[in-house]
Amino acid sequence: MISIPRVLPFHSHMLKTYGRTFFMWRGPTPVINIMDPEQIKEVYDGDKWAKHRRIINPAFHLEKIKNMVPAFHQSCSEVVGEWDKLVSEKGSSREVDVWPGLVGMTADVISRTAFGSSYKEGQRIFELQSELSQLIILSFQGAFIPGYRYLPTKNNRRMRAADREIQVILRGIITKRLEAREAGEAPSDDLLGTLLESNLGQAKGHGMSIEDVMEECKLFYFAGQETTSVLLNWTMVLLSQHQDWQTRARDEVKQVFGDREPDTDGLNQLKVAISSSGTADQSHSQRDEARRPDATGRRSDKSTYSAVQRDTELWGNDAAEFKPRDSKTVSQRQQRAKSLSFPLRGDQGSALDRTFAMLEAKMAMALILQRFSLELSPSMFMRLTQSYHSPTVWCSSYHTQDITP
């Protein structure tokens, strides 16, 4: 597991020297570090976000999420099928970089479930947001020069162009939906359609603006795509490192599904896979909240979240260890995690967002374990130096008499 003193040495030093709450300067920016979950939640409390949570929650209603499981299966089975062909070409096993497939799979899921009939436009939004993220990362890697971001450099021009295209596509999708509703057409049953219906049902002056809706659509990708792909990647890494738990997870999938297509009822029966993912998911509930401002418009510091995720006072002395529990202990830990999560959409919204992500993750892991066994590539540590979340996994075809590869 990741060592906080190695990854965040200065932050770790400040914690040891000044305790769990301290103040420091980062260049000209004042930073207050807090580790208490209730205080962190206070930072995100505000009328604007409370209003957004109220409007957004219907889009993540449990029954609606269950209806999205076929879309989960379609997107996941396409990627697993591609891996199956790659492995078959080499015989029984080969090295496969699973990260690009996981990114494509989770992006495809959110495009189908968020935009439905506007699926192609949704894919384009993902491509642009991915490019924009990479350009922003590049801009932070250079020396800081005040005002440099306003200069017409190649990267700055491309960032503005990508952002403008995203705005045009999103506004076009939303405008078409609103025009169709005025023409008497039934609303779409995807996330965007449900969000628009909920927003239109608010009293005048209490709904979200078109710009707010567009921002929430962008957040669908960041919260629903990137975190899930990272979760899946690290679940595969952890199962590769702990072969005994991989065997137990595969036996459970075989017992529940055999060689059948995974369905909602069966996915809800999986316990080992979800407890294995739960260890990787310890960071899932906090990760993306750092992307949005708090109630006062201030930005949060991601290093605080990394430290909280492995704080032994909050999670216990084994916070940094891979220890999937039995169902009773897993339930206790999940309840603890719920109280320590800093949700994108409030307590209710957090649970629904998590249900969406975990159903998708369980679908993917069920299909993967039906077809493959996993081992870490010898080049993992070399690749980790290039990207913290993209180790290569050695995927081997898994064959039994009653599970067809």
Side-chain angles (χ1 to χ4, degrees), residues 34-44 339-342:
I34 54 177
M35 295 283 287
D36 182 84
E38 293 306 318
Q39 290 180 342
I40 295 174
K41 288 179 183 179
E42 259 186 66
V43 173
Y44 290 106
S339 69
L340 298 177
S341 65
F342 318 123

Side-chain angles (χ1 to χ4, degrees), residues 64-190:
K64 287 188 176 292
I65 294 174
K66 287 181 179 179
N67 292 335
M68 296 173 185
V69 169
F72 295 168
H73 180 268
Q74 181 177 351
S75 299
C76 295
S77 59
E78 287 176 0
V79 172
V80 172
E82 291 174 4
W83 290 346
D84 206 19
K85 291 178 182 177
L86 288 173
V87 173
S88 299
E89 290 172 359
K90 289 287 185 179
S92 61
S93 65
R94 71 172 295 173
E95 188 180 62
V96 176
D97 185 359
V98 299
W99 177 247
L102 294 177
V103 170
M105 177 181 71
T106 52
D108 196 64
V109 166
I110 205 68
S111 294
R112 294 179 191 277
T113 56
F115 296 104
S117 60
S118 307
Y119 167 70
K120 292 297 182 183
E121 292 97 324
Q123 284 188 316
R124 179 58 181 161
I125 293 170
F126 165 72
E127 292 170 1
L128 290 166
Q129 289 206 150
S130 297
E131 181 186 3
L132 197 54
S133 296
Q134 293 302 315
L135 290 171
I136 291 171
I137 290 172
L138 285 174
S139 70
F140 280 112
Q141 289 176 347
F144 174 71
I145 302 174
Y148 185 78
R149 62 178 176 152
Y150 299 108
L151 298 178
T153 64
K154 179 180 178 181
N155 282 354
N156 287 345
R157 291 198 308 271
R158 181 54 197 153
M159 280 193 286
R160 294 190 188 98
D163 184 61
R164 282 196 300 269
E165 187 174 349
I166 291 171
Q167 302 289 338
V168 169
I169 294 173
L170 282 174
R171 192 177 293 276
I173 294 173
I174 294 169
T175 300
K176 287 180 183 178
R177 298 289 184 94
L178 294 175
E179 290 175 349
R181 187 181 187 276
E182 290 178 359
E185 295 183 19
S188 300
D189 199 31
D190 50 31

